[in-house]
Amino acid sequence: MSSDTPIGFADLNKSPVPPRYHVLILDRRGQVLRMERIESGGDDEAVERALRFVDGQAIELWDGVRFIEHFPPVD
């Protein structure tokens, strides 16, 4: 896409290339405690890697601004 091409709403749903995955670690109120970037070749692999962060806090997996999954805390 050149800089002269306008970006429409349909473009907002497209995944960034390459994917930019990050995990948000949440407190019990759902507030972000910290963010961790993860490297992954696709959504399925990113989910597997994100699950490693699940412990006493809930987490969310994102690809840029695209929400992928919420994982509740495991006590």
Side-chain angles (χ1 to χ4, degrees), residues 44-71:
D44 292 336
E45 181 183 350
V47 167
E48 287 180 32
R49 291 178 183 229
L51 286 170
R52 297 176 189 162
F53 290 90
V54 176
D55 195 10
Q57 284 100 9
I59 66 162
E60 290 182 350
L61 175 62
W62 292 78
D63 172 14
V65 297
R66 181 174 65 97
F67 174 76
I68 298 174
E69 187 77 41
H70 173 87
F71 302 94

Side-chain angles (χ1 to χ4, degrees), residues 24-60:
L24 300 179
I25 293 89
L26 309 173
D27 68 13
R28 297 199 182 275
R29 296 177 310 189
Q31 301 295 312
V32 176
L33 293 171
R34 70 180 196 276
M35 180 185 81
E36 297 285 339
R37 296 181 194 274
I38 58 174
E39 297 292 324
S40 178
D43 286 1
D44 292 336
E45 181 183 350
V47 167
E48 287 180 32
R49 291 178 183 229
L51 286 170
R52 297 176 189 162
F53 290 90
V54 176
D55 195 10
Q57 284 100 9
I59 66 162
E60 290 182 350

